[in-house]
Amino acid sequence: MSTFKHKPSTHGPSTEIVHSKPVSAKGFSALPVPVYRGSSTFFENTAAQRATVNPIGLDYSYGLHGNPTQYTLAKKLAEIEGATHTLVCPSGLTAIALVAQACLKSGDHWLIPENVYGPVQALARSLHADYGVEFSEYDPCDVDTVASALQSNTKLVWTEAPGSLTFEVPDLQAIVSLAKAHGARTGIDNTWAAGIAYKPFEHGFDFSVQALTKYQCGHADVLMGAVLSNNTKAFADLERRNRILGLGVSPADCDLILRGLLTLPLRYQRQAESGLVVAKALKQHPAVARVLHPEFPECPGHAFYKRDFNGFASVFSVILNAEYTDEQACAIIDRLELFKIAYSWGGPESLGLVVNIPDSRKRHLADANGQCGPILRLAIGLEDSADLIADLMQALDAATESQHP
Ligand SMILES: *Cc1c(COP(=O)(O)O)cnc(C)c1O
């Protein structure tokens, strides 16, 4: 309820509407940060306008470069992960592309793991074909392949832990020290750990990337990414690239991520626990050859996971017995009632997909006969795990019955 005194104006009605002052926020205090919208952000005077040329910092010069909602999100992400700098950007993939473009120019070389998030391979191929940036892939389970792939022009070593779809955990400590000894910058896709379960800056990384789209959002309704760093020079290169490309994020989207962050640790842990219960139940099913989850000792790199991580996500993969076809794997996913068929993860609903990886990547995953069956990736949401298990069992039982009537 509000009552206002009417003051006759000397301006016309259109001027009055544009220039009337907002009410004071004095005396109002609450947890949420307001959604600060504004493309033009006003300067006190010309001197203040001319002074905002510093490319890094909390300057309010233009809406594209930041507002208090965005900077509050950036600050909280830095606090969670122990970084000194944060850049928020339109998606997780943008975040990775920015790191690559901040570190690499024509004639430079970078390393990516062969189990990297798929679109990063496309990025590497495109930077090579269009801009002459070289890249090599290494085996995340074999540090020697990192050592042998390093070249005199290697400027960036990219890592992901665990790897997309197959969840191998690399020896991050060894990779970082090899890269550092070589003078290359290092970056990690830390989406799986959500900035919580692995702390890249305690291990010497220059950049950490998170797809905020996943757990930080948590409600499957925003796309956003972040790059964190505590290397001021490296971050300045990143910030410059971001400005050149003219990237920005919506303050309303930042507000939704800020809201998601309040429950991030709770959701992450609950979904992780639930996911592990589901993963253990799946191991018992006769149609399942193997469950790829870093918590299990048979997961490649389990010892590194135990050494470096203090938590885990609720996304993992299941390898069916090699006697099952891709068609039967699709039928299992199609039979699920509670799982939606969709990309992404970290939201309230459980998701499932049949995923394809090249044969060359299956050598760490094959059974005793050297075979690897179809792979299902599951992302566990906030539902009750018993219901999810019952759903998966009915779908797997139906597949087993059709295989062994
Ligand atoms: C989803 C995801 C990304 C990309 O995030 P978007 O916001 O969807 O662009 C990057 N890395 C990993 C590991 C992801 O799961």
PDB file of all heavy atoms in Angstrom, residues 90-94 96 117 160 164 189 191-192 211-214 223-225 344-345 377, ligand 1:
ATOM      1  N   PRO A  90      27.505 -16.587 -21.073  1.00  0.00           N
ATOM      2  CA  PRO A  90      26.203 -17.145 -21.460  1.00  0.00           C
ATOM      3  C   PRO A  90      26.018 -18.659 -21.332  1.00  0.00           C
ATOM      4  O   PRO A  90      24.879 -19.121 -21.261  1.00  0.00           O
ATOM      5  CB  PRO A  90      26.056 -16.718 -22.929  1.00  0.00           C
ATOM      6  CG  PRO A  90      26.934 -15.526 -23.068  1.00  0.00           C
ATOM      7  CD  PRO A  90      28.088 -15.776 -22.149  1.00  0.00           C
ATOM      8  N   SER A  91      27.074 -19.447 -21.333  1.00  0.00           N
ATOM      9  CA  SER A  91      26.890 -20.905 -21.198  1.00  0.00           C
ATOM     10  C   SER A  91      28.206 -21.524 -20.747  1.00  0.00           C
ATOM     11  O   SER A  91      29.272 -20.883 -20.813  1.00  0.00           O
ATOM     12  CB  SER A  91      26.476 -21.525 -22.536  1.00  0.00           C
ATOM     13  OG  SER A  91      27.557 -21.470 -23.445  1.00  0.00           O
ATOM     14  N   GLY A  92      28.137 -22.772 -20.349  1.00  0.00           N
ATOM     15  CA  GLY A  92      29.355 -23.497 -19.982  1.00  0.00           C
ATOM     16  C   GLY A  92      30.293 -23.614 -21.170  1.00  0.00           C
ATOM     17  O   GLY A  92      31.513 -23.485 -21.034  1.00  0.00           O
ATOM     18  N   LEU A  93      29.707 -23.847 -22.335  1.00  0.00           N
ATOM     19  CA  LEU A  93      30.549 -23.986 -23.522  1.00  0.00           C
ATOM     20  C   LEU A  93      31.230 -22.667 -23.873  1.00  0.00           C
ATOM     21  O   LEU A  93      32.413 -22.652 -24.243  1.00  0.00           O
ATOM     22  CB  LEU A  93      29.707 -24.499 -24.698  1.00  0.00           C
ATOM     23  CG  LEU A  93      30.472 -24.770 -25.989  1.00  0.00           C
ATOM     24  CD1 LEU A  93      31.627 -25.744 -25.783  1.00  0.00           C
ATOM     25  CD2 LEU A  93      29.529 -25.298 -27.060  1.00  0.00           C
ATOM     26  N   THR A  94      30.529 -21.546 -23.715  1.00  0.00           N
ATOM     27  CA  THR A  94      31.167 -20.237 -23.929  1.00  0.00           C
ATOM     28  C   THR A  94      32.357 -20.080 -22.991  1.00  0.00           C
ATOM     29  O   THR A  94      33.409 -19.562 -23.383  1.00  0.00           O
ATOM     30  CB  THR A  94      30.181 -19.078 -23.631  1.00  0.00           C
ATOM     31  OG1 THR A  94      28.963 -19.318 -24.289  1.00  0.00           O
ATOM     32  CG2 THR A  94      30.746 -17.746 -24.041  1.00  0.00           C
ATOM     33  N   ILE A  96      34.344 -22.306 -21.757  1.00  0.00           N
ATOM     34  CA  ILE A  96      35.510 -23.074 -22.229  1.00  0.00           C
ATOM     35  C   ILE A  96      36.116 -22.397 -23.466  1.00  0.00           C
ATOM     36  O   ILE A  96      37.338 -22.250 -23.584  1.00  0.00           O
ATOM     37  CB  ILE A  96      35.112 -24.529 -22.551  1.00  0.00           C
ATOM     38  CG1 ILE A  96      34.567 -25.216 -21.286  1.00  0.00           C
ATOM     39  CG2 ILE A  96      36.308 -25.313 -23.110  1.00  0.00           C
ATOM     40  CD1 ILE A  96      33.894 -26.559 -21.545  1.00  0.00           C
ATOM     41  N   TYR A 117      34.301 -33.159 -22.887  1.00  0.00           N
ATOM     42  CA  TYR A 117      32.928 -32.789 -23.249  1.00  0.00           C
ATOM     43  C   TYR A 117      32.886 -32.573 -24.771  1.00  0.00           C
ATOM     44  O   TYR A 117      33.649 -31.749 -25.309  1.00  0.00           O
ATOM     45  CB  TYR A 117      32.571 -31.520 -22.477  1.00  0.00           C
ATOM     46  CG  TYR A 117      31.229 -30.917 -22.798  1.00  0.00           C
ATOM     47  CD1 TYR A 117      30.052 -31.585 -22.491  1.00  0.00           C
ATOM     48  CD2 TYR A 117      31.132 -29.661 -23.403  1.00  0.00           C
ATOM     49  CE1 TYR A 117      28.818 -31.025 -22.790  1.00  0.00           C
ATOM     50  CE2 TYR A 117      29.903 -29.096 -23.694  1.00  0.00           C
ATOM     51  CZ  TYR A 117      28.756 -29.785 -23.386  1.00  0.00           C
ATOM     52  OH  TYR A 117      27.541 -29.226 -23.682  1.00  0.00           O
ATOM     53  N   GLU A 160      39.457 -32.380 -17.721  1.00  0.00           N
ATOM     54  CA  GLU A 160      38.072 -32.518 -17.275  1.00  0.00           C
ATOM     55  C   GLU A 160      38.062 -33.690 -16.306  1.00  0.00           C
ATOM     56  O   GLU A 160      38.655 -34.728 -16.598  1.00  0.00           O
ATOM     57  CB  GLU A 160      37.179 -32.792 -18.484  1.00  0.00           C
ATOM     58  CG  GLU A 160      35.702 -32.812 -18.151  1.00  0.00           C
ATOM     59  CD  GLU A 160      34.837 -33.010 -19.408  1.00  0.00           C
ATOM     60  OE1 GLU A 160      35.202 -32.519 -20.493  1.00  0.00           O
ATOM     61  OE2 GLU A 160      33.794 -33.659 -19.271  1.00  0.00           O
ATOM     62  N   SER A 164      33.681 -36.731 -19.552  1.00  0.00           N
ATOM     63  CA  SER A 164      32.279 -36.814 -19.958  1.00  0.00           C
ATOM     64  C   SER A 164      31.941 -38.224 -20.434  1.00  0.00           C
ATOM     65  O   SER A 164      32.734 -38.864 -21.135  1.00  0.00           O
ATOM     66  CB  SER A 164      32.001 -35.826 -21.089  1.00  0.00           C
ATOM     67  OG  SER A 164      31.721 -34.549 -20.560  1.00  0.00           O
ATOM     68  N   ASP A 189      37.579 -28.331 -16.542  1.00  0.00           N
ATOM     69  CA  ASP A 189      36.117 -28.278 -16.550  1.00  0.00           C
ATOM     70  C   ASP A 189      35.675 -28.916 -15.233  1.00  0.00           C
ATOM     71  O   ASP A 189      35.747 -30.127 -15.055  1.00  0.00           O
ATOM     72  CB  ASP A 189      35.579 -29.057 -17.755  1.00  0.00           C
ATOM     73  CG  ASP A 189      34.069 -28.952 -17.880  1.00  0.00           C
ATOM     74  OD1 ASP A 189      33.402 -28.789 -16.833  1.00  0.00           O
ATOM     75  OD2 ASP A 189      33.556 -29.044 -19.011  1.00  0.00           O
ATOM     76  N   THR A 191      32.707 -28.835 -13.799  1.00  0.00           N
ATOM     77  CA  THR A 191      31.244 -28.874 -13.709  1.00  0.00           C
ATOM     78  C   THR A 191      30.746 -30.020 -12.830  1.00  0.00           C
ATOM     79  O   THR A 191      29.840 -29.840 -12.020  1.00  0.00           O
ATOM     80  CB  THR A 191      30.644 -28.995 -15.126  1.00  0.00           C
ATOM     81  OG1 THR A 191      31.067 -27.868 -15.892  1.00  0.00           O
ATOM     82  CG2 THR A 191      29.131 -29.041 -15.094  1.00  0.00           C
ATOM     83  N   TRP A 192      31.338 -31.198 -12.993  1.00  0.00           N
ATOM     84  CA  TRP A 192      30.884 -32.380 -12.254  1.00  0.00           C
ATOM     85  C   TRP A 192      31.000 -32.136 -10.743  1.00  0.00           C
ATOM     86  O   TRP A 192      30.124 -32.508  -9.973  1.00  0.00           O
ATOM     87  CB  TRP A 192      31.726 -33.585 -12.686  1.00  0.00           C
ATOM     88  CG  TRP A 192      31.272 -34.925 -12.219  1.00  0.00           C
ATOM     89  CD1 TRP A 192      30.333 -35.729 -12.807  1.00  0.00           C
ATOM     90  CD2 TRP A 192      31.764 -35.659 -11.086  1.00  0.00           C
ATOM     91  NE1 TRP A 192      30.217 -36.912 -12.111  1.00  0.00           N
ATOM     92  CE2 TRP A 192      31.084 -36.892 -11.054  1.00  0.00           C
ATOM     93  CE3 TRP A 192      32.725 -35.393 -10.103  1.00  0.00           C
ATOM     94  CZ2 TRP A 192      31.320 -37.861 -10.081  1.00  0.00           C
ATOM     95  CZ3 TRP A 192      32.955 -36.357  -9.135  1.00  0.00           C
ATOM     96  CH2 TRP A 192      32.260 -37.577  -9.119  1.00  0.00           C
ATOM     97  N   ALA A 211      29.794 -25.209 -15.780  1.00  0.00           N
ATOM     98  CA  ALA A 211      28.516 -24.987 -16.452  1.00  0.00           C
ATOM     99  C   ALA A 211      27.498 -24.767 -15.333  1.00  0.00           C
ATOM    100  O   ALA A 211      27.051 -25.717 -14.690  1.00  0.00           O
ATOM    101  CB  ALA A 211      28.152 -26.191 -17.307  1.00  0.00           C
ATOM    102  N   LEU A 212      27.165 -23.501 -15.098  1.00  0.00           N
ATOM    103  CA  LEU A 212      26.204 -23.173 -14.031  1.00  0.00           C
ATOM    104  C   LEU A 212      24.817 -23.712 -14.369  1.00  0.00           C
ATOM    105  O   LEU A 212      23.950 -23.833 -13.501  1.00  0.00           O
ATOM    106  CB  LEU A 212      26.131 -21.654 -13.835  1.00  0.00           C
ATOM    107  CG  LEU A 212      27.456 -20.938 -13.556  1.00  0.00           C
ATOM    108  CD1 LEU A 212      27.220 -19.430 -13.415  1.00  0.00           C
ATOM    109  CD2 LEU A 212      28.126 -21.475 -12.302  1.00  0.00           C
ATOM    110  N   THR A 213      24.639 -24.015 -15.660  1.00  0.00           N
ATOM    111  CA  THR A 213      23.426 -24.652 -16.174  1.00  0.00           C
ATOM    112  C   THR A 213      23.048 -25.905 -15.370  1.00  0.00           C
ATOM    113  O   THR A 213      21.883 -26.259 -15.292  1.00  0.00           O
ATOM    114  CB  THR A 213      23.710 -25.076 -17.634  1.00  0.00           C
ATOM    115  OG1 THR A 213      24.221 -23.957 -18.351  1.00  0.00           O
ATOM    116  CG2 THR A 213      22.492 -25.621 -18.320  1.00  0.00           C
ATOM    117  N   LYS A 214      24.037 -26.578 -14.781  1.00  0.00           N
ATOM    118  CA  LYS A 214      23.800 -27.866 -14.139  1.00  0.00           C
ATOM    119  C   LYS A 214      23.363 -27.671 -12.675  1.00  0.00           C
ATOM    120  O   LYS A 214      22.261 -27.249 -12.429  1.00  0.00           O
ATOM    121  CB  LYS A 214      25.048 -28.744 -14.280  1.00  0.00           C
ATOM    122  CG  LYS A 214      25.570 -28.819 -15.731  1.00  0.00           C
ATOM    123  CD  LYS A 214      24.658 -29.611 -16.639  1.00  0.00           C
ATOM    124  CE  LYS A 214      24.916 -29.444 -18.122  1.00  0.00           C
ATOM    125  NZ  LYS A 214      26.282 -29.701 -18.565  1.00  0.00           N
ATOM    126  N   LEU A 223      20.550 -21.253 -18.666  1.00  0.00           N
ATOM    127  CA  LEU A 223      21.848 -21.622 -19.236  1.00  0.00           C
ATOM    128  C   LEU A 223      22.849 -20.542 -18.861  1.00  0.00           C
ATOM    129  O   LEU A 223      22.612 -19.353 -19.117  1.00  0.00           O
ATOM    130  CB  LEU A 223      21.749 -21.720 -20.758  1.00  0.00           C
ATOM    131  CG  LEU A 223      21.020 -22.969 -21.250  1.00  0.00           C
ATOM    132  CD1 LEU A 223      20.193 -22.677 -22.462  1.00  0.00           C
ATOM    133  CD2 LEU A 223      21.999 -24.094 -21.501  1.00  0.00           C
ATOM    134  N   MET A 224      23.948 -20.932 -18.234  1.00  0.00           N
ATOM    135  CA  MET A 224      24.991 -19.955 -17.904  1.00  0.00           C
ATOM    136  C   MET A 224      26.297 -20.693 -17.601  1.00  0.00           C
ATOM    137  O   MET A 224      26.275 -21.884 -17.295  1.00  0.00           O
ATOM    138  CB  MET A 224      24.566 -19.100 -16.704  1.00  0.00           C
ATOM    139  CG  MET A 224      25.270 -17.746 -16.674  1.00  0.00           C
ATOM    140  SD  MET A 224      24.818 -16.718 -15.273  1.00  0.00           S
ATOM    141  CE  MET A 224      23.186 -16.201 -15.753  1.00  0.00           C
ATOM    142  N   GLY A 225      27.394 -19.978 -17.721  1.00  0.00           N
ATOM    143  CA  GLY A 225      28.690 -20.573 -17.402  1.00  0.00           C
ATOM    144  C   GLY A 225      29.535 -19.598 -16.622  1.00  0.00           C
ATOM    145  O   GLY A 225      29.205 -18.405 -16.524  1.00  0.00           O
ATOM    146  N   SER A 344      21.894 -32.600 -20.591  1.00  0.00           N
ATOM    147  CA  SER A 344      22.106 -31.832 -19.361  1.00  0.00           C
ATOM    148  C   SER A 344      21.880 -32.712 -18.124  1.00  0.00           C
ATOM    149  O   SER A 344      21.571 -33.899 -18.238  1.00  0.00           O
ATOM    150  CB  SER A 344      21.219 -30.596 -19.321  1.00  0.00           C
ATOM    151  OG  SER A 344      21.720 -29.695 -18.359  1.00  0.00           O
ATOM    152  N   TRP A 345      22.077 -32.115 -16.956  1.00  0.00           N
ATOM    153  CA  TRP A 345      21.910 -32.801 -15.679  1.00  0.00           C
ATOM    154  C   TRP A 345      21.966 -31.769 -14.565  1.00  0.00           C
ATOM    155  O   TRP A 345      22.190 -30.598 -14.823  1.00  0.00           O
ATOM    156  CB  TRP A 345      22.958 -33.897 -15.472  1.00  0.00           C
ATOM    157  CG  TRP A 345      24.346 -33.632 -16.005  1.00  0.00           C
ATOM    158  CD1 TRP A 345      24.770 -33.748 -17.295  1.00  0.00           C
ATOM    159  CD2 TRP A 345      25.507 -33.200 -15.272  1.00  0.00           C
ATOM    160  NE1 TRP A 345      26.102 -33.442 -17.399  1.00  0.00           N
ATOM    161  CE2 TRP A 345      26.577 -33.112 -16.177  1.00  0.00           C
ATOM    162  CE3 TRP A 345      25.731 -32.921 -13.915  1.00  0.00           C
ATOM    163  CZ2 TRP A 345      27.866 -32.724 -15.785  1.00  0.00           C
ATOM    164  CZ3 TRP A 345      27.012 -32.546 -13.530  1.00  0.00           C
ATOM    165  CH2 TRP A 345      28.065 -32.449 -14.469  1.00  0.00           C
ATOM    166  N   ARG A 377      23.692 -43.154 -20.152  1.00  0.00           N
ATOM    167  CA  ARG A 377      24.080 -42.169 -19.143  1.00  0.00           C
ATOM    168  C   ARG A 377      22.842 -41.763 -18.356  1.00  0.00           C
ATOM    169  O   ARG A 377      21.806 -41.433 -18.946  1.00  0.00           O
ATOM    170  CB  ARG A 377      24.703 -40.924 -19.755  1.00  0.00           C
ATOM    171  CG  ARG A 377      25.279 -40.025 -18.635  1.00  0.00           C
ATOM    172  CD  ARG A 377      25.800 -38.726 -19.130  1.00  0.00           C
ATOM    173  NE  ARG A 377      24.725 -37.822 -19.503  1.00  0.00           N
ATOM    174  CZ  ARG A 377      24.923 -36.554 -19.868  1.00  0.00           C
ATOM    175  NH1 ARG A 377      26.149 -36.074 -19.910  1.00  0.00           N
ATOM    176  NH2 ARG A 377      23.901 -35.797 -20.206  1.00  0.00           N
TER     177      ARG A 377
HETATM  178  C1  LIG B   1      26.870 -29.155 -19.779  1.00  0.00           C
HETATM  179  C2  LIG B   1      28.332 -29.159 -19.746  1.00  0.00           C
HETATM  180  C3  LIG B   1      29.056 -28.143 -20.368  1.00  0.00           C
HETATM  181  C4  LIG B   1      28.407 -27.036 -21.166  1.00  0.00           C
HETATM  182  O1  LIG B   1      27.506 -26.277 -20.433  1.00  0.00           O
HETATM  183  P1  LIG B   1      26.352 -25.455 -21.222  1.00  0.00           P
HETATM  184  O2  LIG B   1      25.924 -24.444 -20.229  1.00  0.00           O
HETATM  185  O3  LIG B   1      25.305 -26.468 -21.568  1.00  0.00           O
HETATM  186  O4  LIG B   1      26.996 -24.861 -22.425  1.00  0.00           O
HETATM  187  C5  LIG B   1      30.426 -28.192 -20.271  1.00  0.00           C
HETATM  188  N1  LIG B   1      31.048 -29.177 -19.625  1.00  0.00           N
HETATM  189  C6  LIG B   1      30.393 -30.180 -19.023  1.00  0.00           C
HETATM  190  C7  LIG B   1      31.158 -31.239 -18.307  1.00  0.00           C
HETATM  191  C8  LIG B   1      29.010 -30.208 -19.065  1.00  0.00           C
HETATM  192  O5  LIG B   1      28.357 -31.211 -18.498  1.00  0.00           O
END
